Amino acid sequence: QADYLLVHFPYATRSGTLSLSAVSAAIQRLTNIQRQSGTTIICEPKLGDERAAAGIGWLRDAPRGIFSSAGLGLCWDVGDHLLGARSEADYFRQLDRWRSSIKVVHLHNVRFAETKYRWTPPHPSRSQVNSEFDMRRIIKSLPQKATIVSEYTPQRVATEAAIETSFSYLKALT
């Protein structure tokens, strides 16, 4: 038995838009699947093509209880939300707005290299690198009752020691 089913939703391509009626209809379908299967469904809003923020940006104006009133949880992907936010203030405003619906957090930093980016584990020294976000405040602000899943791109992480340091860092901050 799975603890939950994670669905990348809502998602929109670079040029796509999301209407409240379309999202509401999809939420009703997800609620029916959850009821029929007996498995909790967690929705993870995603960036679209080429880092388009349509799926994540839609949350700015969405009704606050749209997921929780349907019995669905929300997954907060830190990296996607950092990339999709207009500013750091916008990131924290959205986190606070959705805090009570967040059941799972996908936690990772983002390293930029030219036009590409990679998921990297939070690390105390890397938070000081210009190409990554300062994770200390971000980690401290996450909902305490949420399940935290550490994500990173394994072929881009230098050593096992870096991963171990990341887990120790996370434990110290949570």
Side-chain angles (χ1 to χ4, degrees):
Q1 174 80 26
D3 290 337
Y4 59 87
L5 171 65
L6 183 80
V7 179
H8 287 165
F9 175 80
Y11 172 86
T13 62
R14 181 171 23 111
S15 60
T17 58
L18 295 169
S19 71
L20 179 57
S21 62
V23 171
S24 294
I27 285 175
Q28 185 58 49
R29 285 193 302 273
L30 291 172
T31 301
N32 290 338
I33 292 168
Q34 179 174 260
R35 188 177 56 254
Q36 291 169 2
S37 69
T39 302
T40 300
I41 293 183
I42 306 289
C43 298
E44 180 183 1
K46 298 301 293 176
L47 288 174
D49 301 336
E50 299 177 18
R51 290 179 28 192
I56 288 174
W58 179 85
L59 292 173
R60 287 185 191 98
D61 299 317
R64 188 176 291 179
I66 193 163
F67 296 103
S68 58
S69 65
L72 304 174
L74 191 62
C75 174
W76 187 264
D77 186 296
V78 170
D80 277 8
H81 283 275
L82 286 167
L83 292 174
R86 298 177 205 167
S87 64
E88 186 176 288
D90 183 46
Y91 170 86
F92 285 107
R93 191 170 28 259
Q94 291 307 313
L95 176 63
D96 287 341
R97 184 169 194 261
W98 293 99
R99 178 176 304 283
S100 64
S101 297
I102 297 170
K103 305 300 180 210
V104 176
V105 172
H106 286 175
L107 182 61
H108 54 86
N109 209 330
V110 182
R111 177 171 291 164
F112 298 97
E114 298 172 18
T115 60
K116 298 181 181 183
Y117 59 93
R118 301 278 186 250
W119 293 164
T120 62
H123 193 280
S125 64
R126 288 199 191 120
S127 294
Q128 299 165 9
V129 176
N130 288 335
S131 64
E132 295 189 24
F133 294 96
D134 182 356
M135 297 299 288
R136 184 174 189 77
R137 179 176 174 211
I138 291 165
I139 292 168
K140 291 266 190 201
S141 67
L142 295 173
Q144 292 184 341
K145 292 185 178 183
T147 298
I148 295 178
V149 177
S150 184
E151 287 188 326
Y152 59 90
T153 309
Q155 65 272 28
R156 304 289 184 213
V157 177
T159 65
E160 282 188 38
I163 295 168
E164 289 174 17
T165 300
S166 175
F167 284 128
S168 295
Y169 180 57
L170 291 174
K171 285 180 185 177
L173 292 177
T174 55

